Amino acid sequence: MATTEYPALERTPPRFKLELAAALSGVIVYTCANGFMTGGLGVAGRQLGLGDVEVGLILGLGAFVGVIAAPGWGYASELWSRRKLMLLAVPMVALGPAIMVVVTGQFVMLSAAVAGIILGAARLIQAVFGAALIPVAQGYVADITQPSQRVRGMGGLSAAISFGTLSGSALLWLTGRLGATSGFAIISALGILACLIVLAYLPRSLALAPRFLARKRHCRSPISGPIS
């Protein structure tokens, strides 16, 4: 009886693990912020005099804008350096919670209306630039993995999204007695750490021309030649 042989799994080199962790670090911070803001922003908003409708509008508008921005970031990652996009997006994801620290910590005395506007702007910054991290990370995983490792790489991306969301919920519970301001500060610090990891370990992705040449070779038809 004939038996089917499967190729042995390749051992993952340490450098690849560092590069993959760097590509996913921003995703973890972004989803952690989303998980925390779901509850933390409501508590902080009520302390500032905002109603549930205003807080819901801030959260919902950020999510809506993120959905619209994500395809554009995916297209941009095909045209520009993914490393530069990551280095642009991760600090901005850290900036949003940092602004919320100043507002919710009441380091500056603001009216409820002004505080709501600033919180909304901070949420939009976090959402718009955070929307870049998942598509750019997907592109990086495709760039730095061999075909035999690609499923594992994409699985790591899915795990990073879930882990970040879970971490945000856990952070909300851990900072319950300290207040939402401490949670925003921790997320901002994690964003700075992720930026340093990206700067140190994230490799330059494939150049634009090789990526399109590879896609063109992939699209060749064995019967009629290149697909126009």
Side-chain angles (χ1 to χ4, degrees):
M1 179 182 295
T3 58
T4 303
E5 295 183 359
Y6 295 94
L9 290 176
E10 298 178 5
R11 298 188 65 182
T12 304
R15 181 66 189 182
F16 168 77
K17 292 181 180 180
L18 289 174
E19 293 173 354
L20 183 61
L24 299 181
S25 60
V27 174
I28 293 174
V29 174
Y30 168 60
T31 53
C32 178
N34 287 341
F36 181 82
M37 285 184 188
T38 302
L41 195 58
V43 175
R46 283 190 290 272
Q47 293 174 349
L48 294 171
L50 299 178
D52 293 338
V53 174
E54 288 84 355
V55 173
L57 183 62
I58 292 172
L59 291 172
L61 183 60
F64 177 72
V65 171
V67 170
I68 295 177
W73 285 115
Y75 179 73
S77 71
E78 293 289 342
L79 300 178
W80 301 323
S81 167
R82 289 172 183 162
R83 187 173 188 270
K84 291 181 179 179
L85 289 176
M86 193 78 77
L87 288 173
L88 170 65
V90 175
M92 299 304 289
V93 169
L95 177 62
I99 296 174
M100 293 181 180
V101 170
V102 176
V103 176
T104 59
Q106 298 183 358
F107 295 102
V108 179
M109 298 305 297
L110 301 170
S111 65
V114 174
I117 293 173
I118 296 176
L119 287 177
R123 168 61 174 160
L124 288 178
I125 292 172
Q126 182 263 345
V128 169
F129 287 93
L133 295 175
I134 293 178
V136 173
Q138 287 175 329
Y140 248 115
V141 170
D143 281 350
I144 67 179
T145 55
Q146 300 296 326
S148 60
Q149 298 173 325
R150 196 140 303 151
V151 175
R152 278 180 287 173
M154 292 300 176
L157 175 60
S158 298
I161 295 172
S162 299
F163 177 74
T165 304
L166 179 62
S167 298
S169 301
L171 182 62
L172 182 62
W173 177 74
L174 291 173
T175 59
R177 293 185 177 181
L178 300 176
T181 302
S182 60
F184 291 130
I186 291 173
I187 293 172
S188 183
L190 291 175
I192 295 173
L193 177 61
C195 185
L196 295 176
I197 293 173
V198 169
L199 186 63
Y201 296 109
L202 196 64
R204 297 184 182 276
S205 58
L206 292 177
L208 178 64
R211 284 209 300 266
F212 277 103
L213 288 176
R215 180 179 299 174
K216 186 176 180 180
R217 287 195 298 268
H218 178 72
C219 292
R220 287 180 180 274
S221 170
I223 299 176
S224 57
I227 298 175
S228 58

